Amino acid sequence: MDEEKHFLHGRLKIHIIRASDLPDTDNFFFNFASEDKTDAYVIGKLGEASIFKTRYIPNNLDPFWDEKFDIHVCHEVSHLNIEIHDKEMVKAEFVSALSIPIQELIENETIEGEFDTLK
């Protein structure tokens, strides 16, 4: 079932502050450096388009970014997806995500708070 898409046009301001209690994804594989932890960064997506990316925080399960983005958008989408990834040598590994319905963004001038993410 396809979800209803909405036309999002204008400026989208996003403030990514922190994440907490991330899984130690490096321990799931053959990693012998015990002090190595998740190297987390956040990507924001509208549909297939990546609209922002934070810097990565090395070896931290409770990363703190405090990064603000002011993005001009012109997209027809159903959700804003916020994804947390673990930077690896060859490619990134997906850690967790949050999806915010565009309808909620349209109806509310500001959405703020702490949000749970799902694997």
Side-chain angles (χ1 to χ4, degrees):
M1 176 176 115
D2 289 330
E3 294 194 47
E4 184 179 358
K5 293 183 178 182
H6 298 276
F7 185 61
L8 191 61
H9 184 264
R11 290 172 53 188
L12 183 60
K13 295 182 180 186
I14 298 174
H15 187 186
I16 301 294
I17 300 172
R18 64 181 172 85
S20 59
D21 299 325
L22 293 178
D24 188 356
T25 57
D26 291 331
N27 280 342
F28 294 139
F29 299 101
F30 302 105
N31 183 4
F32 299 104
S34 62
E35 63 275 350
D36 193 22
K37 304 236 186 308
T38 300
D39 302 324
Y41 66 94
V42 178
I43 295 176
K45 292 183 176 181
L46 286 174
E48 295 298 316
S50 291
I51 59 171
F52 72 86
K53 178 181 172 185
T54 66
R55 69 189 187 284
Y56 86 95
I57 307 293
N59 299 322
N60 198 320
L61 300 180
D62 299 298
F64 183 80
W65 293 280
D66 195 23
E67 291 187 40
K68 295 180 181 179
F69 301 91
D70 188 351
I71 306 145
H72 292 276
V73 294
C74 185
H75 297 78
E76 187 173 13
V77 292
S78 60
H79 288 83
L80 166 64
N81 294 308
I82 308 292
E83 300 176 356
I84 300 173
H85 293 266
D86 178 16
K87 181 179 184 245
E88 297 293 342
M89 293 296 285
V90 176
K91 66 177 191 169
E93 180 181 350
F94 175 83
V95 175
S96 188
L98 161 69
S99 186
I100 300 172
I102 293 300
Q103 184 63 38
E104 191 173 333
L105 291 175
I106 292 170
E107 291 173 358
N108 300 294
E109 190 170 309
T110 301
I111 298 174
E112 59 183 85
E114 292 187 14
F115 302 93
D116 290 331
T117 59
L118 304 172
K119 172 79 173 164

